[in-house]
């Protein structure tokens, strides 16, 4: 049995929405180098919609795949929906993660929530 | 496919497979049985014992066959500890970067009242005999130091350490799992009292290994039962596996000079090539290392991603990152040589075999360079490093 599902490997090999948004209005960074995972999410929110999202990740295969999948799940979505995104949804969309890798999906959720908080702080708009 | 994880396991040699399959057919008798078929198996077993003993300069009766290196490590340490305890000696010296078969056994002994001193392995991954000497106390019963490290491949000065122990009357065990069949070893000249080895690290089968116990050193049983192995390890012997181990070991020793020359040249080619990658560093001493071991840290990336992408390019290797160990901490070996967590997560171990070519080595160098550059391309740590927001460690 392979370590990861095909979906995880697909998102790991061909990560979606990789990079930086120069004029992002919500940025969230979670994790630390000590534990071996850092995720950074850049959001561009216009009229309550996440019109663009990009990520940078230092981490293992499932961390990269979780970041990629999370960006796909929220792109084009209203912020109210994005706020409800859970790590479970990310993991399920990837056809599951090994138990000891579930924390990668948690990081993806936290990175997005951190970016939303940053957006609220910058704009004063409460989601 | 390029297999560069020979420190994890090796492919069985043709000759060892031949020995094993032939004996599965022809020598399936129980060596403890007195009839012809049992005695044939017994003959095979004792011939293997002679061959294995000769390979390390031991006497046949000093060899105990085990299920592998871990069992041999457990039995060696447990034996020396029990013998020490009987004399009121409950202090053991080891090093911080031993294999877990050693470290976890020592952890258990600590719970039983033993005191353990773990020596510093320094930045180059080499233990200093004078520090071993200084650590020996009146109540020290055992020094256990590996012959060669399984991750960074450093070769320890075991002969000198053994001499120190001999002079002080302390037993010396060495976990030689990565060394046997790869570098010259002689238990007499190297002053070794106990030595552990594993067949599958030198092109033999898995599930077989041996423990050398110098004549006169008391042995504690881990497995009670029959009188096999002169009452020191119960259980019907794995005759085909043991004989295949002997075949593989004889072969490894016969070809050691040319293999060493070839592997050392390839290893150095890989090291020189990978050092060209910016912000990378070799782990462990460059000269005092196994002929087939290359171990690097690359700043700004994580090891598991690197391994998966190398696998996609047909290269199979290993890493000491937390994600490959199933824990949050990276390799205890890399931490022991002073690599901080941030860079220890970005490690790569290539343990090459005799079948590797120069073209393969160049392909590995190119591929690692490409993958590291790619992963750094979307690493937030790398971005911070490049932007000067964070200081480079390597």
């Amino acid at each position: 049995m392979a370590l990861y599902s095909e979906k995880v490997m697909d998102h790991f090999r061909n990560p979606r929405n990789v990079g930086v948004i120069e004029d992002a209005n919500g940025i969230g960074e979670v994790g630390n180098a000590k534990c071996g995972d850092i995720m950074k999410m850049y959001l561009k929110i216009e009229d309550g919609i996440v019109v663009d999202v990009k990520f940078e990740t230092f981490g293992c295969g499932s961390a990269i795949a979780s970041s990629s999948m999370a960006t796909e799940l929220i792109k084009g979505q209203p912020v109210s929906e994005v706020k409800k995104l859970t790590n479970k949804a990310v993991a399920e969309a990837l056809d599951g993660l090994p138990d000891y890798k579930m924390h990668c999906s948690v990081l993806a959720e936290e990175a997005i929530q951190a970016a939303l908080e940053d957006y609220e702080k910058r704009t004063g708009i409460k989601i | 496919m390029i297999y560069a994880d020979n420190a994890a396991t090796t492919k069985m040699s043709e000759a060892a497979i031949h020995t094993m399959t032939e004996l599965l057919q022809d020598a399936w008798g129980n060596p403890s049985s007195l009839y012809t078929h049992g005695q044939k198996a017994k003959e095979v077993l004792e011939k293997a014992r002679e061959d294995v003993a000769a390979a390390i300069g031991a006497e046949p009766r000093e060899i105990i066959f085990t299920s592998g290196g871990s069992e041999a490590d457990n039995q060696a340490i447990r034996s020396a500890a029990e013998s020490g305890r009987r004399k009121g000696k409950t202090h053991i010296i080891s090093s911080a970067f031993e294999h877990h078969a050693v470290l976890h056994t020592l952890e258990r002994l600590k719970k039983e009242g033993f005191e353990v001193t773990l020596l510093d392995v320094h930045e180059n991954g080499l233990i200093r005999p004078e520090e071993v000497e200084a650590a020996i106390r009146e109540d020290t019963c055992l020094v256990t130091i590996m012959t060669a490290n399984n991750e960074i491949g450093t070769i320890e000065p075991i002969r000198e350490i053994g001499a120190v122990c001999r002079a002080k009357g302390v037993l010396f065990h060495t976990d030689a799992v990565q060394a046997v069949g790869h570098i010259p070893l002689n238990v007499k000249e190297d002053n070794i009292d106990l030595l552990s080895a594993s067949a599958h690290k030198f092109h033999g089968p898995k599930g077989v290994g041996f423990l050398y116990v110098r004549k006169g050193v008391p042995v504690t049983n881990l497995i009670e039962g029959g009188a096999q192995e002169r009452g020191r390890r119960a259980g019907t012997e794995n005759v085909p596996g043991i004989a295949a181990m002997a075949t593989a070991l004889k072969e490894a020793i016969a070809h050691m000079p040319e293999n060493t020359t070839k592997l050392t040249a390839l290893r150095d080619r890989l090291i020189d090539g990978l050092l060209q990658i910016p912000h990378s560093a070799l782990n462990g001493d460059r000269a005092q290392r196994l002929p087939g071991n290359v171990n690097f840290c690359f700043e700004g990336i994580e090891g598991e991603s690197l391994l998966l992408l190398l696998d996609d390019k047909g290269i199979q290797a290993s890493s000491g990152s937390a994600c490959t160990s199933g824990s949050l901490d990276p390799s205890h070996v890399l931490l022991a040589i002073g690599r901080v967590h941030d860079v220890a997560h970005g490690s790569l171990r290539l343990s090459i075999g005799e079948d590797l070519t120069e073209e393969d080595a160049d392909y590995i160098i190119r591929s690692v360079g490409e993958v590291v550059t790619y992963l750094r391309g979307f690493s937030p740590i790398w971005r911070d490093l490049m932007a000067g927001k964070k200081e480079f460690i390597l």
Side-chain angles (χ1 to χ4, degrees), chain A residues 31-39 57-61 63 103-104 107, chain B residues 301-305 321-323 327-330 341-342 344-346 381:
Chain A
N32 63 66
K34 197 162 186 277
C35 300
D37 290 300
I38 295 181
M39 270 182 211
T57 291
F58 160 86
C60 59
H103 74 273
C104 293
L107 277 181
Chain B
I301 61 134
E302 192 279 334
E304 191 209 76
S305 304
S321 81
C323 277
S327 79
L328 276 182
D329 279 323
H341 280 70
D342 305 40
H345 286 297
I381 294 187

Side-chain angles (χ1 to χ4, degrees), chain B residues 122-125 151-154 266-299 333-334 337-339 343 346-350 393-394:
Chain B
H122 305 284
E123 273 182 28
N124 58 1
E151 289 187 32
I152 59 172
T154 48
L266 287 168
R267 177 198 71 189
D268 292 343
R269 190 183 185 93
L270 282 165
I271 292 174
D272 288 333
L274 294 175
L275 280 173
Q276 300 304 311
I277 297 174
H279 304 287
S280 65
L282 177 71
N283 293 314
D285 193 81
R286 178 160 180 163
Q288 285 296 108
R289 71 189 299 133
L290 290 171
N293 178 289
V294 175
N295 191 313
F296 265 76
C297 279
F298 302 103
E299 194 157 8
V333 174
L334 296 177
I337 61 166
R339 293 284 185 229
V343 297
S347 78
L348 173 71
R349 178 186 70 184
L350 299 161
I393 298 164
L394 302 180

